[in-house]
Amino acid sequence: MTVNARSTVLHLGLIAILIVLGLVLPTYHQGNLARILVLATYAIGFNVLFGYTGLLSLGHAMFFAAGMYGCGLAMHLADWSVLPALGMGLASAAALSLVVAVLALRTIGVAFMIVTLMFAQAFFLAALYLGEWTGGDEGFVIAQARRQLAGFALTEPLTRFFAALTVFSVALLLTAWLMQMPFGRILIGVRENEERTRMLGYDVFRHKLLAVVISGTISGGAGAAYAVLFGYVGATFASVQYSIFPLLWVLLGGMGTTIGPLIGAAFMFYLIDYASGLTNAYLLIVGAALVLLTLFARAGIVGEIRKRWVPWLP
Amino acid sequence: MDFGPHLLLAVLEGAVGAAVLALTALGLSLVFGVMRVVNVAHGEFFMLGAVVAWFIASPIAAHPAIGFVAALAIAPLVAGGIAVVVDRLVLKRVEYDPEATIVGTIGVLYIIQQSALMIYGPEARPVEPPFNHRIALPWVEWGDSGLSFYYPWGLSTTSYKLFVIVAAVAILVTFWSVMSRTRLGLIMRATQLDRETAVAFGIPVQRVYSIVFGFGAALAALSAVLIVPIQQAHYLMGHDPLLLSFIVVIIGGLGSVRGTVVAALLIGMSDGIISVFLSPTLSKILATLLVALVLVFRPQGLYGKKMA
């Protein structure tokens, strides 16, 4: 089998396993897995920029939240139905990421991280400030009756699971395909050596710009899906924590791998789920995981597997 | 209150904020200047200073000044000590790689913050100020008999707030003389200027890094001890100082001491003044966006040299 065929088999096999899991798991874990799939979609979006293009954004929560608010507010205030609202979420995230990309990509390295952090902070504060519409910290709940798609109630656990799986699969297959195209190869070129990529005649700025927009739009799509599937929209999702989480998931799962974001998100989700039963200081686990990863496993779980045993892993 | 007295009050509040902010930001700026890394956990060292101050001052039943002075001496040492451990265990191991340091110190941020939550708890607790006299301030007015003084209701400050400003200025001057007049300062400046050459001249750069990192954290803790009688100690209190220090250090030019102090005055005063007249959230949104744009269009800041 060629490498491309192998990765296609891997991704379709993963989706098949997830379908089986969705059917056999008890409702509690089914709900958890649905949440993990949506969060993993967010991590996939983050991974396009961080893992493949080598740009570390500390403000991705603003894209996630832009999608979430774009979709949620359209349903909550304007009574839109699910599909156009999802479109609104994607469009909001795409527009915001384009603006942020044009401004933030003038900087590099540490300055890029701080600029994205600052923009995200301004977005978070604006969400609080506009509390009259956004509900601020408390957020708002989207009425159950609104969350219907083509006759299916997205509030029903199994339907919700398959909706989440669809969103995840689209993001997974899209990025996997994108990274096999010349476009994705150039992004990896930018990550490995920006100067050389420029010398070879590629328009580095345009590729980085598109990477931010694609990454932001996928993240926003995850945010919009979260609003529709779980029916809650709040400013917490725009806070710094939600910018750090995808970084953690991707680092843990393996940056620049297609399945790493899911592995990382699932692992952290259950770790935090377990820890919050023991103590209310469960974020301690997040901190310890970040420090240990920086020190000992910079490649992450899938990255280490690829390095040691399975070099073809996408 | 009329506009005039109101403005004076806002300026006084702003000056207290600016004084403390200058100290906190100076710590961040020192670390960035010498070590070329961003310490995202800086705000948590600030919080540590306040929390340790509470632990020291609250069991002492004697005059509050004794507890306060003890906190002033011990809290920076504790924060500095923890910072040195972080430097040895984390930063040194990743060889001060800028991106790995950011991710690592985000981890340290959560570890310190959540440990404080477990040990100190979620309550906000006050520390009693060593002295606290209310000082009413006069204002002038054109009356029937020409210019006259009067004391508008509500226009007052406390002796402790004035002390904070004086103490901050004294610490700044001490810091400046250490940096410019002592051998330790010379070594730090040499390391900042050219690491390679400093190594070649036999400067133990690794030890300098540990000292600088500890020193930066100690400055943050010290400013927290100063402010904790006015604000209360809380495990999440490190967030705002971190953000404001970032803003100050960026506006002032990363690693420039003079720029940091000027920017701290500018940001601290305008934060104080604006939030008296506008909603604090709105003023924060404007400040954050402004800083992001400064970084985009003038990455070297007001006083800094062009950064790599």
Side-chain angles (χ1 to χ4, degrees):
Chain A
M1 274 201 289
T2 65
V3 169
N4 283 1
R6 275 180 184 172
S7 55
T8 310
V9 170
L10 176 79
H11 295 140
L12 294 180
L14 177 69
I15 292 170
I17 293 173
L18 287 169
I19 291 176
V20 174
L21 278 178
L23 292 172
V24 299
L25 282 178
T27 317
Y28 173 70
H29 290 285
Q30 197 183 44
N32 279 353
L33 196 55
R35 215 172 280 256
I36 289 169
L37 285 171
V38 175
L39 295 177
T41 310
Y42 177 24
I44 286 176
F46 184 81
N47 196 22
V48 169
L49 194 62
F50 175 57
Y52 290 106
T53 321
L55 286 170
L56 174 49
S57 146
L58 291 180
H60 252 55
M62 67 180 148
F63 304 134
F64 185 77
M68 184 176 243
Y69 278 117
C71 174
L73 288 175
M75 290 175 80
H76 188 64
L77 296 180
D79 271 354
W80 288 21
S81 61
V82 169
L83 269 188
L86 282 175
M88 186 66 200
L90 283 174
S92 321
L96 179 67
S97 49
L98 183 65
V99 173
V100 169
V102 168
L103 290 170
L105 283 176
R106 294 173 56 107
T107 63
I108 48 163
V110 170
F112 180 79
M113 299 178 204
I114 298 179
V115 167
T116 47
L117 182 75
M118 292 285 168
F119 278 131
Q121 184 66 20
F123 186 97
F124 169 64
L125 291 169
L128 291 182
Y129 186 69
L130 301 173
E132 195 181 324
W133 296 283
T134 61
D137 248 346
E138 288 173 19
F140 57 86
V141 172
I142 301 172
Q144 292 222 348
R146 304 242 98 244
R147 290 156 55 203
Q148 305 267 348
L149 184 60
F152 291 103
L154 295 172
T155 45
E156 196 274 317
L158 194 64
T159 318
R160 177 163 70 188
F161 175 82
F162 281 110
L165 182 59
T166 311
V167 171
F168 171 77
S169 307
V170 168
L172 176 73
L173 297 176
L174 184 76
T175 46
W177 171 76
L178 205 60
M179 292 310 146
Q180 284 168 2
M181 294 286 104
F183 175 77
R185 299 280 160 200
I186 296 167
L187 292 189
I188 295 172
V190 172
R191 177 187 75 193
E192 294 300 321
N193 193 330
E194 190 171 330
E195 279 308 306
R196 191 172 294 169
T197 313
R198 186 174 291 123
M199 289 252 293
L200 287 171
Y202 296 110
D203 186 343
V204 169
F205 182 81
R206 198 172 66 90
H207 281 87
K208 290 209 283 196
L209 186 86
L210 282 171
V212 175
V213 173
I214 292 170
S215 168
T217 310
I218 294 176
S219 304
Y226 199 99
V228 170
L229 295 181
F230 302 101
Y232 171 72
V233 176
T236 328
F237 294 104
S239 65
V240 187
Q241 259 175 42
Y242 270 82
S243 292
I244 304 300
F245 283 149
L247 168 66
L248 180 64
W249 298 327
V250 168
L251 276 178
L252 182 64
M255 55 187 284
T257 63
T258 48
I259 56 173
L262 175 68
I263 308 274
F267 195 90
M268 265 335 276
F269 188 93
Y270 273 101
L271 197 60
I272 288 182
D273 189 51
Y274 175 69
S276 49
L278 302 177
T279 163
N280 58 350
Y282 61 90
L283 283 171
L284 189 67
I285 308 281
V286 173
L290 278 172
V291 171
L292 291 175
L293 280 170
T294 359
L295 286 180
F296 302 112
R298 294 244 217 134
I301 297 171
V302 180
E304 290 291 334
I305 293 176
R306 172 159 71 185
K307 214 158 59 182
R308 285 168 205 223
W309 300 295
V310 202
W312 58 268
L313 219 56
Chain B
M1 247 190 294
D2 297 333
F3 179 75
H6 206 163
L7 184 67
L8 180 63
L9 195 66
V11 168
L12 273 172
E13 293 298 315
V16 175
V20 172
L21 181 58
L23 289 184
T24 317
L26 203 57
L28 193 68
S29 171
L30 177 73
V31 169
F32 185 83
V34 177
M35 301 164 68
R36 297 275 136 194
V37 296
V38 177
N39 176 16
V40 187
H42 195 65
E44 302 316 307
F45 291 115
F46 180 89
M47 180 271 291
L48 263 182
V51 167
V52 171
W54 181 84
F55 272 114
I56 294 170
S58 61
I60 297 180
H63 194 270
I66 299 170
F68 181 76
V69 171
L72 216 47
I74 298 172
L77 281 179
V78 173
I82 293 177
V84 170
V85 172
V86 168
D87 175 69
R88 289 285 160 88
L89 287 185
V90 183
L91 271 62
K92 186 183 164 192
R93 300 271 205 96
V94 300
E95 287 161 351
Y96 303 96
D97 174 73
E99 304 208 349
T101 301
I102 288 197
V103 178
T105 49
I106 291 173
V108 172
L109 179 159
Y110 281 124
I111 293 177
I112 297 179
Q113 181 193 84
Q114 300 293 309
S115 307
L117 172 63
M118 287 202 294
I119 298 167
Y120 174 80
E123 299 88 6
R125 299 190 181 103
V127 168
E128 211 177 320
F131 47 84
N132 204 17
H133 313 283
R134 187 177 167 278
I135 302 172
L137 295 171
W139 190 253
V140 288
E141 188 185 42
W142 280 106
D144 301 330
S145 54
L147 206 59
S148 66
F149 281 102
Y150 77 111
Y151 289 89
W153 185 83
L155 180 60
S156 69
T157 185
T158 64
S159 54
Y160 183 74
K161 284 185 181 171
L162 297 179
F163 165 75
V164 169
I165 299 174
V166 174
V169 171
I171 295 167
L172 282 178
V173 171
T174 315
F175 175 83
W176 177 79
S177 22
V178 167
M179 284 307 274
S180 60
R181 297 288 154 85
T182 66
R183 198 177 145 69
L184 181 66
L186 184 68
I187 289 175
M188 287 192 206
R189 281 183 291 137
T191 314
Q192 170 164 13
L193 216 54
D194 189 339
R195 189 198 139 108
E196 302 290 313
T197 316
V199 173
F201 273 75
I203 291 177
V205 169
Q206 176 56 51
R207 202 183 307 160
V208 174
Y209 278 7
S210 291
I211 293 172
V212 164
F213 201 69
F215 203 37
L219 272 174
L222 193 60
S223 49
V225 179
L226 285 177
I227 202 72
V228 78
I230 303 174
Q231 261 172 26
Q232 299 186 331
H234 184 251
Y235 82 103
L236 286 176
M237 74 189 292
H239 194 91
D240 276 355
L242 175 71
L243 204 69
L244 282 175
S245 303
F246 261 150
I247 294 178
V248 164
V249 171
I250 290 163
I251 298 267
L254 290 158
S256 146
V257 171
R258 184 178 53 157
T260 304
V261 174
V262 172
L265 282 177
L266 197 75
I267 301 285
M269 294 293 276
S270 50
D271 188 56
I273 295 173
I274 292 173
S275 50
V276 168
F277 293 105
L278 284 179
S279 123
T281 316
L282 187 62
S283 71
K284 263 189 211 152
I285 296 177
L286 294 178
T288 323
L289 280 179
L290 184 75
V291 169
L293 294 177
V294 165
L295 203 50
V296 167
F297 292 105
R298 200 180 149 76
Q300 68 273 37
L302 298 181
Y303 285 89
K305 298 179 189 72
K306 207 154 176 58
M307 60 185 260

